[in-house]
Amino acid sequence: NLEGKVLTLKDLSPNSDKLSFVYKAIELVKQQSDTPLLGFCGAPLTTLFYMNLLKNQEFQKMYAINVLANVSMTTFSFIIPIILYDYTKSAIAMSTMRLMDFLPNVLLGMLIGVFVDRMNRRLTLVWGNIFRTIFSVILTIILTSTEFSLVSVYILGFILSSLGYLVGSATNAIMPQLFDRQYMTEIQTKFSLVSTLVSIIGPGLLGMLLLWVSNAVFLWIYVACSGLIIIFAVTLQKVPTPPTSKSSL
């Protein structure tokens, strides 16, 4: 009894008109997937979003960029120490190259972060990969020649690592501009899964591939991945340049 009124089962029944959007979501799920509804009866809208996310062209492009970036990074980290050791027979040369790969994060991390925050993320992603592809071609030509200077390899390694850090920062920064923030956790989870799988499985597969192909093939794989990233980045949806307040100048 509430305020003198006796509640009946009819009063407690749900208003189907207000839940019509749930029924429509369930119908769409059944039309586009053979997944049993029993597993998703508590979250049909969430299920619908996941399905639409995989069909979203911008997500597909960013997913491809993420896969290519991880493949290129794993390939580069795998083959460069091998090439340097074959050429110099020195562990110091390998360690120095590793240092060149790490220094940009320490020396240029803050500057790159500020640059990405002030510039158009899509253009940064495109031009960063264009320059990275150019320098990776130069590095490939140098390393496949008979004689090469270690200093030039170290400099190019530092430049490529800096550009890789720039591209990675731009990739992370553009995500909230392409997708709603409430879905960022799920998107980042998918990207992290790719990164983990490539880092675990990649070296083993590359090691087996090394038995049949030359070192130059791995370098050109790295170049090809950078070139393909350019294609996907160019076709991304245009995003606005973040506004810069006068007080921050």
Side-chain angles (χ1 to χ4, degrees):
N1 190 326
L2 182 62
E3 296 183 357
K5 180 181 178 181
V6 178
L7 296 177
T8 63
L9 291 177
K10 184 178 180 181
D11 296 322
L12 297 176
S13 61
N15 189 334
S16 59
D17 294 334
K18 294 183 179 180
L19 297 177
S20 59
F21 69 96
V22 176
Y23 300 143
K24 292 179 180 178
I26 294 176
E27 291 178 358
L28 289 175
V29 170
K30 287 302 294 179
Q31 291 175 3
Q32 303 179 29
S33 172
D34 294 330
T35 304
L37 284 181
L38 180 62
F40 302 100
C41 59
L45 296 180
T46 304
T47 305
L48 182 63
F49 164 73
Y50 292 158
M51 293 167 53
N52 291 336
L53 178 63
L54 297 177
K55 295 182 179 181
N56 186 291
Q57 291 186 355
E58 301 305 315
F59 175 79
Q60 293 174 355
K61 296 172 187 175
M62 292 303 302
Y63 194 83
I65 290 174
N66 182 63
V67 172
L68 291 170
N70 280 282
V71 171
S72 65
M73 179 181 64
T74 302
T75 304
F76 185 83
S77 301
F78 173 82
I79 198 61
I80 292 299
I82 295 176
I83 294 176
L84 291 180
Y85 186 78
D86 287 343
Y87 182 76
T88 64
K89 305 300 180 183
S90 171
I92 297 178
M94 298 169 56
S95 301
T96 304
M97 190 63 188
R98 181 58 183 168
L99 179 63
M100 293 298 105
D101 188 37
F102 177 74
L103 276 180
N105 293 344
V106 178
L107 301 179
L108 304 177
M110 294 183 63
L111 294 177
I112 290 176
V114 172
F115 179 83
V116 171
D117 285 340
R118 293 171 181 264
M119 301 300 292
N120 185 285
R121 282 77 183 266
R122 176 178 169 274
L123 294 179
T124 302
L125 189 59
V126 172
W127 284 104
N129 277 289
I130 289 176
F131 285 114
R132 187 167 68 165
T133 302
I134 294 174
F135 284 110
S136 63
V137 170
I138 297 174
L139 179 64
T140 299
I141 294 174
I142 291 176
L143 290 178
T144 52
S145 61
T146 305
E147 299 289 337
F148 60 84
S149 170
L150 284 178
V151 175
S152 62
V153 173
Y154 294 151
I155 294 175
L156 287 172
F158 180 84
I159 294 174
L160 287 172
S161 296
S162 301
L163 291 172
Y165 190 78
L166 174 67
V167 169
S169 298
T171 301
N172 292 328
I174 200 176
M175 298 295 288
Q177 292 184 297
L178 296 175
F179 309 102
D180 197 299
R181 291 182 180 274
Q182 63 178 319
Y183 304 130
M184 292 306 300
T185 301
E186 176 62 24
I187 294 175
Q188 292 299 333
T189 300
K190 294 181 183 296
F191 286 1
S192 297
L193 177 61
V194 171
S195 178
T196 302
L197 289 177
V198 172
S199 62
I200 294 175
I201 301 175
L205 295 177
L206 293 174
M208 291 188 292
L209 186 61
L210 187 61
L211 298 174
W212 293 285
V213 300
S214 63
N215 296 339
V217 173
F218 294 92
L219 295 173
W220 287 114
I221 289 176
Y222 175 71
V223 173
C225 288
S226 299
L228 290 173
I229 291 176
I230 296 174
I231 297 175
F232 287 110
V234 168
T235 58
L236 281 175
Q237 173 186 329
K238 294 183 178 180
V239 296
T241 301
T244 304
S245 59
K246 295 181 179 180
S247 59
S248 63
L249 296 176

